[in-house]
Amino acid sequence: MTDNKEKKRRRMKEKSISTILLVLASLSIFTTIGIVATLSKETIAFFGEVSIIDFLTGTEWTALFANPKFGVLPLVAGTLMIAIYGSVVAIPIGLGSAIYLSEYASDRTRKVIKPLLEILAGIPSIVYGYFALTFITPILKIFFPTINIFNALSGSIAVGIMIIPMISSLSEDAMKAVPDEIRHAAYALGSTKFEVSTKVVIPAALSSIISSFVLAISRAIGETMIVTLAAGSTPKLTLNPLESVQTMTAFIVQVAKGDVTHGGLIYKTIFAVGMLLFLMTLFMNIIARMIIKKYREEY
Amino acid sequence: MSVKINVKNLDFYYGDFKALNDINIEIEEKKVTAFIGPSGCGKSTFIRTMNRMNDLIDGTKHTGEIIYDGQDIYSPKVDVVELRKKVGMVFQKPNPFPKSIYENVVFGPKRHGIKKKSELDKIVETSLKDAALWEEVKDRLDSSAWSLSGGQQQRLCIARALAMKPDVLLMDEPTSALDPVATSKIEELIEELKDKYTIVIVTHSMQQAGRISDNTAFFLMGNLVEYGETSRIFSSPEDKRTEDYITGRFG
Amino acid sequence: MSVKINVKNLDFYYGDFKALNDINIEIEEKKVTAFIGPSGCGKSTFIRTMNRMNDLIDGTKHTGEIIYDGQDIYSPKVDVVELRKKVGMVFQKPNPFPKSIYENVVFGPKRHGIKKKSELDKIVETSLKDAALWEEVKDRLDSSAWSLSGGQQQRLCIARALAMKPDVLLMDEPTSALDPVATSKIEELIEELKDKYTIVIVTHSMQQAGRISDNTAFFLMGNLVEYGETSRIFSSPEDKRTEDYITGRFG
Amino acid sequence: GCGTDEGEETQDTGDGETTDKEETNGDLSGSVEADGSSTVYPITMAIAEEFQAENPEVQVTVGVSGTGGGMKRFTTGETHISNASRNMKDEEAAKAEENGIEFEQLTVALDGISVVVNPNNDWVDDISVKELNKIWEPDSDVKLWSDVRSEWPEEEIKLYGPGTDSGTFDYFTEAINGEGGAVRTDFTASEDDNVLVQGVAGDEYAMGYFGFAYYEENQDKLKALKIDGVEPTPENIGSGEYTPLARPIFIYVNTEHYNNESQVQAFVEYYMNNGPDIVPTTGYVALSPERYKEELDKLK
Amino acid sequence: MTNLQKRRLMDNFFHGLVFSVTLFALIILGILLFDIFKDGFKYLSIDFFTNYTSRFVEKAGIKAALSGSIWIIGLTIIFSLPIGVGSALYLEEYSDDRNLLTRIIKLNIANLAGVPSIVFGILGLGIFVHLFGFGRSILSGALTLTLLILPIIIVAAQEAIKSVPKELRHGAYALGSTKWQVIKGVVLPYSLPGILTGSILAIARGLGDTASVLMVGAVSFIAFTPKSVFDKFTILPIQIYNWSSMPKAEFHDLAAGAIIILLVLLLGANAVAIILRNKYQNRIKG
Ligand SMILES: Nc1ncnc2c1ncn2[C@@H]1O[C@H](COP(=O)(O)OP(=O)(O)OP(=O)(O)O)[C@@H](O)[C@H]1O
Ligand SMILES: Nc1ncnc2c1ncn2[C@@H]1O[C@H](COP(=O)(O)OP(=O)(O)OP(=O)(O)O)[C@@H](O)[C@H]1O
Ligand SMILES: [Mg+2]
Ligand SMILES: [Mg+2]
Ligand SMILES: O=P([O-])([O-])[O-]
């Protein structure tokens, strides 16, 4: 039997573990505070010089040219286009592979293919950039002769390929974690593998699957190198993927690495753009959370 | 008296472990067949081979044949989905889907092409009534099946299998978590069903086997020790071991 | 005759659903108390409140008191870990860990500071023997508990609880998946254990309640209908509903 | 580059340990930190490579933050040497002054911005500054090749150029359009010159511009235009005949470090002494040895 | 067509579909790897590892970049794994979802995963380089990368932890286990495969990230290897980036050589995680 001293000791231990873990979890809060503080200061200064209405509704972005115009919509359009088309590539392939690996493939196959796919996440994005430029674009040119050398489509495809493993690996794990008993119940009702996968396993793992989508889309939104190389750096308000565009991140990198005096207006724009990006991903996350809450099946 | 399922020389292995040893049995149509035997003797394993659920466990293998409707169910010609549709199953451990009660019951019918809401509603009501669960859950068909009590889950799983209107119904200890009242309702149900279906039931209750089954098979350590009419098995078992088990002198 | 657990005016809710209604009961020390009642009446819910397992389910709440060892177990002064260590539990649905059989049994003892291999080995052997599982698994203690049969899993969960040498043992239908032989072994064990431990057992078998329990409580729809000495309850129930249930005329 | 912190950074890189000025190579130590323009990087890097080989104890690092990024670090005293493909801006000079940084600008090489087209382009070999201006000016209404000269094809002219943060962009817009940064905004920009090479090489109706080195290495894929009859060749760039697109590129040296730290001094001297040999290997045009002497003398 | 035939067709179609998309992804990987190996393979030699970068293709190597990358990723793993898994445990096991703060933290972490790496670079520059005075050092680089990849680890670990069946947790609690014992004994072993997957992806991200590390001081030319965490450094992606932007085409192939090494490094770091993952996944399946 434990005596009182031991009990106390154990309670202390539990308490300190939870405190330590709390501290670890709050690190991310400080990161965010740091980011928000960094972004806010310059963003506020930026809106001292540029009207927030013009910024949010303007359709021309020529921040770095003489007589700059700060309509952020072209950048937003570019970002959304890459994220959307990238997801259109990555989600079906990623989820499909996850289903294949978790429900169809033999254990042996899965153990080989899964790490292989994860290599895709490790190939530096500059490689994807050149891959898009020298491999994907020429192929696209066969189908769309008018396509720009730099175009959102080829960048999106490359971004999509890069984020496939985020979806396939994380979703696969989530599906594997669904207890077999539940699967067996469905098979015993004469379900096909397809039905077991789509009606039982995916719904049960849905919250993790959506989380993996969110992570992957986040990565797509945050991706810069591929886009800069393959999609051009021409801010353009278009949803035509055959044109060249610039994303918000690409703009930030362009300025942050570039030839701009610290503290100038242009310098401040990257924080305003960064802030907007931050808010956009926040919005996406809130939506995702609502979806997860609605459809979550607990087991 | 026709044979519904004919099992010939069936051996079954989990990896290297031989769980069933040379099983030969003929399951009669529109009869209730009970499997009895001590825990771990292979009842679940055997009942699971009959709708090929064991396919889903890695590293298992079998030899021998299970003839159902004139065909070995393990032959490549047999469609396992079709087989499982016709040979329904209630598992030993209740395993409802993490979905609503309603969705649990209609899962099978929906897969098999019934889409009309009114029809599905009807199925839910009859199946749950048959499984003696309707009264308790009729006002909360939308709540999660995982919030049911153990016995309620078990009855839900029975309802789920009934909703499929199978040809053969395999039930692995379907009343283990049920009180006498619910148990007797299920037993009544089985009584009714056997006019239309062939039923195989695993039970560890001698009384239950005696009450409801037409034939009884006694298993021991992977072997089918004795099989015959229930009344005969219980009154004059041929094998000493069967007698010992039934009279409780076993072990 | 001293009281081990004293429950006063206990109400229990899952969200808005009231699952227990004004329960008052005194569980006697070193006695076996049986809870009976139809499926869904709240037996599991009640037994789970006694070691505060219901804390782990979201959206539950209670009012009233459960006095154990002179203290309300829900009082902030009570250490729930300590409580659960002393008040052990076997669940209705077997829930072994996805670990080896050996690791399942030593899980509790290891957490509570027993590190010596020889001592752990000893515990594994006695607990498995007590749970009537030793013979079946002694040669494969390293294989996964998930590869056991249903009844074996249930006995493993009993062994796992026994390994803790609890003060009070709560057993939720511990023999539901067991054959008569294994059941009678567990019943013998309970008989032995009650010299040292206080035991609460949920069962849907009247016979079992009659055989092993000293006191019986009959629940119906969240209410404790009748509680008293088992012999009295079974011979001359005061409440009509109890009588109906026991004689099988219920519902 | 940018950063959240404008404060000075104290040097803690172990420099200044060899304050006695040894002239002998080989036993120098401490660090030399250079950063800045990507245009100048290949030269400084080549010098650093040779210098490092001879002085293994010195830790030379060369970063590529772009001219502006380099200037930011240079004017707060973080770096010893800043590579630059343009002159220091007034704001940057003010910042240096504020932080008490004294410096000297040394020209290290000449570059000739090359205007290139696709090799399949057979209608143009030569173009005038005026025509370039007409093509590239802000709000230019040149859409088709034929808008420039009517005998050229009626095909859309696809324009490629460096991104706005590059020194090349600044210089080109200044030289052609008269004001740094003033340019039409609908051309295809990339920060990566290799990407521009790909763009022009893959598009028959393209026109682009970038540093001479990128043209020289990709002559098989590109065709460089003469500007008012002058071809971009090392000779024409060196002689200054290739106007207005020949431009000097620089390093800025922190004079305090130069004077007090022998390894910095040794490095800069090495730079100027070996410039005539090393610069041509990097695709740029070297100055005459005398010019390098003169540049170095600015520091004396 | 009967309902069953339709369903069987659907099932076969779906099987074909998921198989082909997997195959498609593998083919793309194959093309990419072929492309990289075709260009880069010829540069792989001992010299490639022992030489520093050079303006001559034949002499150029990755000594500085490789050692820098190993330092950085090693430190990043050491920092980020405990913090990441710890945070996830706190959020899933200890915190209370009714608490507004918890909900904010969760949302916030998911959100951090979408912040572009350059912003982390800006933050790292402000905090680690300047505020903490770590300078443009390996330490600053690793800490910045840690911030960058933490959200990925945390989100993946959270999901993995959530997928542990309730019954198992309850089983452990009923044995009088403390929360921590439940976590150590049941939750972590069951969720480890998922946690490791998240870590693999995060490490891959960290190993390949350029922008953030560039901000906090990775340089392009360096011809010595770091000796402490306060030294200057470069990393493979920056070397690769640098070589790919050289005018001379041979350098682009050299970059491919460096990419091969980066991938090998990545696989090395992953191998451990993959082995662990397979081991634990087997255990769960029994
Ligand atoms: N997690 C839960 N959420 C909501 N309702 C629940 C939950 N668990 C049980 N209930 C409901 O509470 C009531 C009592 O359930 P409990 O599990 O205590 O029954 P029981 O007496 O143990 O029945 P059984 O013999 O079937 O196990 C039932 O109506 C059940 O549906
Ligand atoms: N997945 C598995 N892998 C390995 N062995 C298994 C597996 N499932 C069952 N076994 C073993 O096979 C034997 C027969 O198991 P089975 O489940 O068929 O027993 P049962 O007769 O249904 O017992 P119970 O009445 O306890 O449910 C047992 O010894 C069991 O341990
Ligand atoms: Mg069984
Ligand atoms: Mg119960
Ligand atoms: O790097 P730049 O020379 O273009 O400033």
Side-chain angles (χ1 to χ4, degrees):
Chain A
M1 285 291 105
T2 29
D3 49 27
N4 262 348
K5 218 160 109 205
E6 164 123 20
K7 217 187 315 180
K8 232 194 209 142
R9 202 184 54 90
R10 198 189 56 221
R11 225 180 289 177
M12 281 281 290
K13 185 176 159 196
E14 283 292 311
K15 185 86 199 126
S16 47
I17 287 174
S18 86
T19 315
I20 291 169
L21 294 181
L22 172 63
V23 170
L24 294 182
S26 13
L27 271 182
S28 64
I29 287 281
F30 291 117
T31 311
T32 306
I33 292 175
I35 288 174
V36 171
T38 314
L39 293 179
S40 306
K41 185 166 151 254
E42 303 285 344
T43 304
I44 291 165
F46 174 79
F47 286 123
E49 295 177 52
V50 175
S51 133
I52 189 160
I53 307 283
D54 292 351
F55 179 73
L56 290 177
T57 61
T59 55
E60 254 189 285
W61 181 265
T62 55
L64 299 169
F65 295 98
N67 302 320
K69 292 217 179 67
F70 294 100
V72 80
L73 288 182
L75 292 184
V76 174
T79 304
L80 289 182
M81 199 147 70
I82 298 287
I84 291 170
Y85 293 117
S87 316
V88 167
V89 171
I91 288 181
I93 297 183
L95 190 58
S97 315
I99 295 171
Y100 175 73
L101 293 177
S102 156
E103 307 297 313
Y104 287 85
S106 73
D107 231 33
R108 261 250 225 55
T109 317
R110 182 172 57 81
K111 275 181 196 158
V112 175
I113 293 186
K114 192 169 171 179
L116 275 181
L117 286 184
E118 278 158 0
I119 297 180
L120 283 173
I123 293 177
S125 47
I126 179 163
V127 179
Y128 282 106
Y130 277 105
F131 181 69
L133 195 60
T134 59
F135 189 88
I136 301 177
T137 303
I139 291 178
L140 292 175
K141 226 180 168 106
I142 300 171
F143 300 102
F144 312 103
T146 59
I147 199 168
N148 211 302
I149 282 273
F150 306 110
N151 61 81
L153 186 56
S154 133
S156 311
I157 293 174
V159 169
I161 294 171
M162 183 185 67
I163 60 177
I164 286 173
M166 290 227 132
I167 296 174
S168 67
S169 280
L170 292 173
S171 301
E172 199 262 343
D173 278 328
M175 293 182 195
K176 265 268 168 299
V178 174
D180 268 348
E181 298 164 20
I182 301 177
R183 269 191 198 88
H184 290 183
Y187 280 118
L189 292 169
S191 309
T192 61
K193 245 182 190 166
F194 166 67
E195 290 157 352
V196 173
S197 311
T198 54
K199 303 291 182 205
V200 175
V201 179
I202 290 181
L206 197 70
S207 111
S208 300
I209 291 175
I210 293 182
S211 290
S212 81
F213 290 174
V214 172
L215 266 186
I217 296 173
S218 298
R219 173 90 201 256
I221 290 178
E223 174 49 42
T224 333
M225 240 34 240
I226 298 180
V227 188
T228 337
L229 286 177
S233 37
T234 328
K236 205 178 291 171
L237 184 57
T238 174
L239 283 178
N240 177 359
L242 304 183
E243 295 203 40
S244 86
V245 294
Q246 184 171 43
T247 64
M248 299 164 84
T249 50
F251 172 77
I252 294 175
V253 171
Q254 185 183 15
V255 174
K257 293 208 313 200
D259 193 356
V260 174
T261 320
H262 186 68
L265 177 60
I266 290 177
Y267 177 75
K268 288 170 196 152
T269 56
I270 67 174
F271 292 90
V273 173
M275 190 63 145
L276 183 62
L277 191 61
F278 191 82
L279 294 175
M280 277 167 57
T281 48
L282 188 69
F283 181 71
M284 175 182 82
N285 273 299
I286 290 174
I287 302 279
R289 226 144 255 275
M290 277 157 46
I291 295 174
I292 289 173
K293 205 167 187 170
K294 181 135 184 258
Y295 293 104
R296 174 133 200 238
E297 289 180 352
E298 285 194 58
Y299 54 84
Chain B
M1 196 127 319
S2 76
V3 172
K4 189 82 198 175
I5 300 178
N6 191 352
V7 180
K8 291 184 189 161
N9 309 323
L10 182 74
D11 286 355
F12 189 89
Y13 299 82
Y14 293 107
D16 294 333
F17 177 70
K18 189 172 192 177
L20 294 177
N21 183 26
D22 195 27
I23 307 289
N24 286 282
I25 194 172
E26 295 181 347
I27 309 279
E28 287 180 274
E29 188 167 3
K30 293 188 183 160
K31 288 275 157 80
V32 176
T33 306
F35 290 175
I36 58 171
S39 169
C41 68
K43 305 180 295 294
S44 297
T45 304
F46 182 41
I47 206 172
R48 281 196 308 244
T49 57
M50 290 198 265
N51 66 346
R52 292 184 52 182
M53 286 309 293
N54 278 329
D55 285 18
L56 302 172
I57 299 172
D58 281 346
T60 59
K61 60 177 184 292
H62 79 286
T63 60
E65 291 184 325
I66 300 181
I67 316 283
Y68 165 65
D69 269 354
Q71 216 167 24
D72 181 6
I73 61 167
Y74 280 95
S75 99
K77 263 179 273 161
V78 167
D79 184 87
V80 62
V81 170
E82 174 96 82
L83 171 74
R84 291 188 187 135
K85 187 189 155 188
K86 289 202 246 146
V87 183
M89 170 151 199
V90 177
F91 292 79
Q92 181 170 8
K93 225 182 184 182
N95 54 357
F97 301 124
K99 299 177 186 290
S100 71
I101 295 171
Y102 186 93
E103 285 299 328
N104 263 277
V105 179
V106 300
F107 188 93
K110 263 194 179 168
R111 301 290 84 75
H112 296 97
I114 300 172
K115 292 275 126 79
K116 270 227 327 264
K117 177 88 172 80
S118 60
E119 209 170 330
L120 291 171
D121 286 352
K122 187 100 206 9
I123 291 177
V124 170
E125 186 169 341
T126 9
S127 312
L128 286 174
K129 275 185 175 155
D130 283 347
L133 186 58
W134 176 251
E135 286 304 319
E136 281 158 72
V137 299
K138 64 170 189 276
D139 299 324
R140 48 166 172 154
L141 292 175
D142 281 341
S143 49
S144 166
W146 284 49
S147 71
L148 292 175
S149 81
Q152 289 166 339
Q153 290 190 12
Q154 198 169 44
R155 283 174 284 161
L156 177 61
C157 292
I158 294 173
R160 193 172 62 180
L162 293 176
M164 296 285 299
K165 303 206 172 34
D167 178 32
V168 177
L169 185 56
L170 311 172
M171 303 174 106
D172 197 348
E173 304 192 12
T175 61
S176 64
L178 300 185
D179 60 277
V181 183
T183 301
S184 70
K185 281 192 195 146
I186 299 293
E187 288 180 3
E188 277 162 35
L189 171 72
I190 292 173
E191 204 63 39
E192 274 168 43
L193 292 179
K194 85 172 177 194
D195 288 351
K196 282 181 275 167
Y197 310 134
T198 305
I199 295 171
V200 179
I201 179 168
V202 173
T203 178
H204 49 260
S205 157
M206 301 304 136
Q207 293 87 337
Q208 186 167 62
R211 278 195 301 270
I212 60 166
S213 72
D214 302 298
N215 296 312
T216 296
F218 172 59
F219 289 83
L220 196 60
M221 292 178 67
N223 293 300
L224 172 59
V225 174
E226 193 165 352
Y227 177 52
E229 263 186 50
T230 303
S231 51
R232 211 260 307 141
I233 293 263
F234 278 84
S235 59
S236 52
E238 281 166 13
D239 197 293
K240 181 79 175 61
R241 291 167 296 175
T242 317
E243 192 182 336
D244 286 353
Y245 184 75
I246 290 170
T247 53
R249 258 172 304 162
F250 177 89
Chain C
M1 197 123 323
S2 75
V3 172
K4 190 82 197 175
I5 300 178
N6 191 351
V7 179
K8 291 185 188 159
N9 308 324
L10 182 74
D11 287 354
F12 188 89
Y13 299 82
Y14 293 106
D16 294 333
F17 176 71
K18 191 172 193 177
L20 293 177
N21 183 27
D22 195 28
I23 308 289
N24 286 282
I25 194 171
E26 295 183 348
I27 309 281
E28 287 179 274
E29 189 168 3
K30 294 186 182 162
K31 287 275 157 80
V32 177
T33 306
F35 290 175
I36 60 170
S39 170
C41 67
K43 305 178 297 293
S44 297
T45 304
F46 182 41
I47 207 173
R48 280 196 308 245
T49 59
M50 291 200 263
N51 67 346
R52 292 183 54 180
M53 285 309 294
N54 278 331
D55 287 17
L56 302 172
I57 299 172
D58 280 347
T60 60
K61 59 178 189 290
H62 80 285
T63 59
E65 290 184 330
I66 300 180
I67 315 281
Y68 166 64
D69 269 355
Q71 219 168 21
D72 181 6
I73 61 168
Y74 280 95
S75 99
K77 262 181 274 160
V78 167
D79 182 52
V80 62
V81 170
E82 189 75 2
L83 170 73
R84 291 190 188 132
K85 195 187 146 190
K86 287 203 243 148
V87 183
M89 169 148 199
V90 177
F91 292 80
Q92 182 169 8
K93 230 187 188 181
N95 57 353
F97 302 127
K99 297 173 185 284
S100 70
I101 296 171
Y102 185 95
E103 284 299 328
N104 263 277
V105 179
V106 300
F107 190 94
K110 262 194 179 168
R111 304 308 119 188
H112 295 97
I114 299 173
K115 293 272 127 79
K116 272 233 312 275
K117 177 87 172 79
S118 61
E119 209 169 331
L120 292 171
D121 287 352
K122 187 103 201 24
I123 291 176
V124 170
E125 186 170 342
T126 14
S127 312
L128 286 174
K129 274 185 176 153
D130 283 348
L133 186 58
W134 177 250
E135 286 304 319
E136 281 159 73
V137 300
K138 65 170 188 278
D139 299 324
R140 47 164 173 159
L141 293 175
D142 282 341
S143 49
S144 165
W146 285 21
S147 71
L148 291 176
S149 81
Q152 288 167 339
Q153 290 191 11
Q154 197 169 46
R155 284 174 283 161
L156 177 61
C157 292
I158 294 173
R160 193 171 65 178
L162 292 177
M164 296 286 300
K165 301 203 174 36
D167 178 32
V168 176
L169 185 56
L170 311 172
M171 303 174 107
D172 197 349
E173 305 192 11
T175 62
S176 65
L178 300 185
D179 59 277
V181 182
T183 301
S184 70
K185 279 194 194 142
I186 299 293
E187 289 180 2
E188 277 163 34
L189 171 72
I190 292 174
E191 204 63 39
E192 273 169 43
L193 291 179
K194 87 171 175 192
D195 290 350
K196 282 184 274 166
Y197 309 133
T198 305
I199 294 171
V200 180
I201 179 169
V202 173
T203 177
H204 48 260
S205 156
M206 301 302 138
Q207 295 86 336
Q208 186 169 59
R211 278 196 301 271
I212 59 166
S213 73
D214 302 298
N215 297 311
T216 296
F218 172 58
F219 289 83
L220 197 59
M221 293 177 68
N223 293 300
L224 173 58
V225 174
E226 190 163 356
Y227 178 49
E229 261 183 53
T230 303
S231 49
R232 212 258 311 140
I233 293 263
F234 277 84
S235 59
S236 52
E238 282 166 11
D239 198 293
K240 181 77 174 61
R241 292 166 296 175
T242 317
E243 192 181 336
D244 286 351
Y245 184 75
I246 290 170
T247 54
R249 257 172 307 164
F250 177 90
Chain D
C2 59
T4 46
D5 191 320
E6 294 169 41
E8 284 110 296
E9 165 128 314
T10 45
Q11 289 298 301
D12 55 355
T13 43
D15 46 350
E17 279 155 23
T18 51
T19 33
D20 47 329
K21 290 194 188 171
E22 297 137 320
E23 289 297 328
T24 37
N25 281 345
D27 44 281
L28 291 166
S29 64
S31 71
V32 179
E33 285 188 54
D35 198 352
S37 161
S38 58
T39 313
V40 186
Y41 169 79
I43 306 175
T44 307
M45 179 255 182
I47 301 282
E49 183 186 351
E50 298 298 325
F51 181 80
Q52 182 82 68
E54 288 181 25
N55 302 277
E57 290 307 305
V58 181
Q59 302 194 327
V60 187
T61 58
V62 188
V64 189
S65 307
T67 306
M71 283 300 177
K72 196 216 144 211
R73 297 187 63 199
F74 184 73
T75 53
T76 53
E78 271 192 61
T79 51
H80 308 151
I81 292 167
S82 204
N83 297 326
S85 59
R86 57 160 169 78
N87 291 310
M88 190 184 263
K89 289 180 180 165
D90 292 342
E91 307 102 84
E92 289 161 350
K95 187 68 143 297
E97 171 140 25
E98 192 185 304
N99 292 326
I101 307 292
E102 289 177 9
F103 59 85
E104 200 61 64
Q105 179 203 56
L106 312 187
T107 305
V108 293
L110 296 174
D111 179 25
I113 295 173
S114 309
V115 178
V116 295
V117 294
N118 191 280
N120 293 337
N121 177 324
D122 55 8
W123 58 90
V124 52
D125 294 309
D126 191 337
I127 199 163
S128 69
V129 172
K130 213 152 145 236
E131 283 166 330
L132 281 177
N133 172 257
K134 189 173 169 196
I135 296 170
W136 288 94
E137 71 189 344
D139 303 318
S140 157
D141 39 43
V142 173
K143 291 269 177 284
L144 309 174
W145 278 96
S146 55
D147 294 337
V148 189
R149 277 188 219 168
S150 51
E151 67 266 29
W152 288 352
E154 275 185 47
E155 291 285 348
E156 194 186 338
I157 184 168
K158 299 271 192 60
L159 296 173
Y160 293 84
T164 44
D165 72 341
S166 104
T168 311
F169 167 82
D170 278 334
Y171 190 89
F172 183 85
T173 48
E174 166 112 42
I176 300 296
N177 297 337
E179 185 195 341
V183 71
R184 67 192 291 167
T185 58
D186 58 352
F187 68 98
T188 301
S190 173
E191 301 307 321
D192 188 324
D193 292 328
N194 282 314
V195 167
L196 297 175
V197 171
Q198 297 281 350
V200 178
D203 188 342
E204 194 174 339
Y205 300 100
M207 167 188 274
Y209 70 90
F210 35 71
F212 177 66
Y214 287 88
Y215 162 65
E216 203 187 21
E217 291 294 340
N218 294 286
Q219 289 184 22
D220 49 334
K221 295 188 214 149
L222 303 168
K223 175 166 121 183
L225 299 183
K226 295 179 188 147
I227 309 292
D228 288 323
V230 185
E231 230 183 304
T233 58
E235 299 73 53
N236 291 340
I237 294 167
S239 66
E241 220 172 300
Y242 184 68
T243 47
L245 293 182
R247 57 161 174 172
I249 51 183
F250 319 101
I251 58 172
Y252 283 78
V253 179
N254 182 316
T255 42
E256 194 188 324
H257 285 288
Y258 179 84
N259 290 328
N260 295 330
E261 289 166 42
S262 54
Q263 79 279 10
V264 177
Q265 188 175 11
F267 182 79
V268 175
E269 280 169 5
Y270 192 90
Y271 206 132
M272 293 300 139
N273 291 336
N274 294 284
D277 297 330
I278 292 181
V279 168
T281 67
T282 59
Y284 292 97
V285 178
L287 312 174
S288 64
E290 300 75 53
R291 265 297 295 287
Y292 281 113
K293 285 256 148 47
E294 284 167 34
E295 292 296 317
L296 187 56
D297 285 341
K298 291 188 192 163
L299 283 163
K300 295 272 152 79
Chain E
M1 216 192 300
T2 67
N3 171 272
L4 188 73
Q5 276 168 325
K6 244 190 278 172
R7 289 168 57 217
R8 203 181 305 145
L9 201 71
M10 189 65 203
D11 189 40
N12 289 338
F13 169 75
F14 190 68
H15 188 167
L17 184 76
V18 293
F19 176 74
S20 357
V21 295
T22 311
L23 197 67
F24 178 72
L26 288 174
I27 289 173
I28 293 187
L29 176 71
I31 294 173
L32 269 166
L33 290 182
F34 174 75
D35 205 40
I36 295 167
F37 272 79
K38 163 178 75 69
D39 295 338
F41 199 69
K42 56 178 178 285
Y43 289 103
L44 299 184
S45 66
I46 298 292
D47 286 350
F48 192 57
F49 293 93
T50 54
N51 286 356
Y52 294 107
T53 181
S54 162
R55 68 188 192 285
F56 302 109
V57 178
E58 323 79 61
K59 282 205 267 172
I62 52 163
K63 189 172 177 185
L66 181 61
S67 65
S69 269
I70 291 174
W71 271 92
I72 290 270
I73 206 64
L75 278 181
T76 303
I77 292 172
I78 292 171
F79 295 146
S80 60
L81 273 190
I83 301 180
V85 177
S87 306
L89 282 176
Y90 180 81
L91 293 174
E92 291 306 317
E93 297 289 318
Y94 286 86
S95 72
D96 182 351
D97 251 358
R98 281 166 301 185
N99 188 327
L100 185 66
L101 184 69
T102 311
R103 293 212 301 270
I104 291 177
I105 296 185
K106 284 187 176 175
L107 179 61
N108 157 56
I109 285 173
N111 198 42
L112 277 182
V115 174
S117 74
I118 189 92
V119 174
F120 282 99
I122 294 171
L123 188 72
L125 182 69
I127 293 179
F128 302 124
V129 176
H130 293 305
L131 191 65
F132 293 176
F134 296 153
R136 292 172 186 262
S137 62
I138 289 179
L139 185 61
S140 298
L143 288 169
T144 305
L145 271 192
T146 299
L147 294 187
L148 174 74
I149 70 173
L150 260 182
I152 303 178
I153 298 184
I154 297 177
V155 173
Q158 271 180 280
E159 292 303 328
I161 290 168
K162 255 192 265 181
S163 72
V164 179
K166 271 203 209 91
E167 300 168 356
L168 296 183
R169 274 205 183 83
H170 291 190
Y173 277 118
L175 293 170
S177 310
T178 62
K179 207 161 214 165
W180 181 241
Q181 288 167 339
V182 175
I183 290 171
K184 242 180 35 186
V186 176
V187 174
L188 277 182
Y190 195 95
S191 54
L192 206 65
I195 293 175
L196 288 169
T197 295
S199 311
I200 290 173
L201 293 168
I203 292 167
R205 163 114 207 238
L207 204 52
D209 196 71
T210 321
S212 65
V213 187
L214 202 56
M215 287 303 296
V216 293
V219 289
S220 294
F221 174 84
I222 184 165
F224 53 89
T225 47
K227 288 177 186 56
S228 84
V229 296
F230 292 104
D231 277 353
K232 300 204 167 303
F233 67 101
T234 191
I235 53 173
L236 280 167
I238 287 173
Q239 191 68 73
I240 291 164
Y241 182 51
N242 190 248
W243 281 343
S244 352
S245 55
M246 297 289 254
K248 253 201 198 32
E250 289 94 339
F251 276 103
H252 307 170
D253 295 350
L254 198 62
I259 291 165
I260 298 175
I261 306 302
L262 184 68
L263 290 180
V264 170
L265 190 62
L266 179 76
L267 283 181
N270 288 3
V272 181
I274 290 171
I275 290 167
L276 280 174
R277 181 171 74 187
N278 285 341
K279 191 174 135 194
Y280 276 91
Q281 213 153 35
N282 284 346
R283 192 169 288 183
I284 291 174
K285 292 285 134 187

